[in-house]
Structure formats: C-alpha cells, structure tokens
Amino acid sequence: MECQPQRVVSALNEGDTPLAARAGRGDRQAFTALVRRHQDGVFRFLLRMTGSRDEAMDLTQDTFMKAWQALPQWQPQAQFRTWLLQIARNGALDALRRKSVVAFEALDEDAVIVDHGPTPEERLHTRQRFGQLEEALRRLVPEHREVLLLREVEGLSYAQIAATLRIEEGTVKSRIARARSALLAATRRATGGIGDE
C-alpha cells in the first residue's frame, strides 16, 4: 500500500495519452492523475458556460464519470483534453437547453483576484468592470461563449477548438471573430460605452 501514493505521483508526470490508455484498461491511479490534471480547467469552463457554481460542480463530476465509462472506446489520435472538453461541452449545452434561458448571476467575490496595492475605489471599479465583462459574456449565445472560453481561458489552439466542437477550423476563426464583436458590443452596452478606446 505504501507504493500507491508514489504511483499517483509518477502518473502525474506522464503525458495524457499513456495515462488515458492505461485508464481505459481500468487503471484507477492513471484516471486519478488525469482528473487531478484536468478538473480545474473543466470546472472553469463549465462555470462560465452555465453561470452556476453548483451546476458546474455537478457537471464536472458528471463529465469525469462519463469519461471513465467511455475511456475504453477512446482513441489515442483524439487528444484527451479536447475529448474531455467535448464531454463537458455536451453536458453544459444539455443543461442550458433544460433551462432554456441563460441566467444572470453576480460574480462570486472569491473569483476576483484582489491586489492590495490599489485604493478601495480602484478595486471597486475593477470589480465592477470584471462583473460587467462576466455579465456580457453570459449574454452571448452559447456557441459564442464556448468558443471564447476555449480560446481565451483554456488557451486551446484553433485546431484543438475545431476538434472539441467538431467543426472546421475556418468556422472556429469566424465564430471567434463574431464572438469577440458580440462581447465588445455587450460590454459597451453594459458600461454605457465607458472605457472605450
């Protein structure tokens, strides 16, 4: 039993592909390493897609349960991260369809990184701007919101986004352009055009 923590540590140093292959053969330690590596990114994506911390937590758990069940069919030519985000995306879209409207929710204070250097007024202004940006992001249609989150927050390449969403790379580029325009317009509406450059 002493070697189990060491197995998890050594598994954390492996790439996704060998871990996913081992997990697909039933290796729980390999799957644990994959969960530790990707759970924060999946949660962040789902939180911003759904706007609900509780729902994002449930969907994150559901994503990994579905991934565990589907891993025996996973093919190494599919990047594990994009495959996992496909599962998360499908869950988020199902949840949004069930709601049929996108809820507007105030940004949790613990999600804001506070620098102790600025004055209280500057911090308030920053928090308001960040909240306006989050609200503008939530106003976007899901296909625009997801493509921006995958690119700007998760840092996926155009090719990875295309694989995740199962669309052409050119479609990714045009969606990102439209999504950025829509986000800018929504932000301007939320701020009354203040801060435009």
Side-chain angles (χ1 to χ4, degrees):
M1 285 295 177
E2 263 182 60
C3 68
Q4 281 188 354
Q6 190 165 352
R7 279 186 63 205
V8 172
V9 169
S10 71
L12 288 171
N13 295 326
E14 285 185 63
D16 284 350
T17 301
L19 284 173
R22 286 190 10 233
R25 294 189 299 270
D27 185 333
R28 291 181 183 273
Q29 298 291 343
F31 187 68
T32 298
L34 288 168
V35 171
R36 287 181 180 173
R37 184 175 294 169
H38 294 287
Q39 66 186 352
D40 290 344
V42 168
F43 175 75
R44 261 192 326 267
F45 174 73
L46 290 167
L47 176 61
R48 288 198 165 97
M49 280 297 291
T50 64
S52 164
R53 183 171 293 279
D54 290 338
E55 192 163 25
M57 288 173 64
D58 289 344
L59 287 170
T60 299
Q61 185 176 12
D62 191 50
T63 296
F64 284 104
M65 286 174 48
K66 286 178 178 173
W68 173 252
Q69 292 167 349
L71 261 170
Q73 289 79 42
W74 173 78
Q75 297 298 313
Q77 61 269 25
Q79 239 187 20
F80 180 78
R81 183 177 183 206
T82 58
W83 179 78
L84 188 62
L85 285 170
Q86 282 175 354
I87 296 170
R89 172 190 182 246
N90 291 340
L93 291 177
D94 287 346
L96 290 173
R97 279 187 210 106
R98 281 192 302 271
K99 277 199 235 179
S100 76
V101 289
V102 178
F104 296 98
E105 203 174 296
L107 181 67
D108 291 336
E109 283 194 38
D110 62 350
V112 177
I113 300 172
V114 178
D115 180 1
H116 295 289
T119 66
E121 292 82 16
E122 291 169 332
R123 285 190 296 226
L124 176 62
H125 179 70
T126 300
R127 185 177 297 153
Q128 288 171 338
R129 294 286 298 197
F130 191 64
Q132 290 164 342
L133 179 62
E134 285 283 336
E135 183 176 329
L137 184 63
R138 285 196 188 102
R139 288 181 186 268
L140 297 180
V141 296
E143 75 175 19
H144 286 167
R145 186 168 56 237
E146 71 187 0
V147 78
L148 278 180
L149 291 172
L150 292 171
R151 178 70 178 160
E152 306 300 340
V153 177
E154 296 305 318
L156 268 61
S157 69
Y158 291 128
Q160 290 171 321
I161 295 170
T164 301
L165 302 181
R166 295 184 179 147
I167 57 177
E168 296 294 321
E169 203 169 323
T171 305
V172 169
K173 291 176 183 176
S174 64
R175 274 193 196 174
I176 286 175
R178 287 193 308 270
R180 285 177 177 156
S181 293
L183 182 62
L184 182 60
T187 303
R188 284 182 176 152
R189 280 193 301 276
T191 62
I194 296 169
D196 289 350
E197 296 180 313

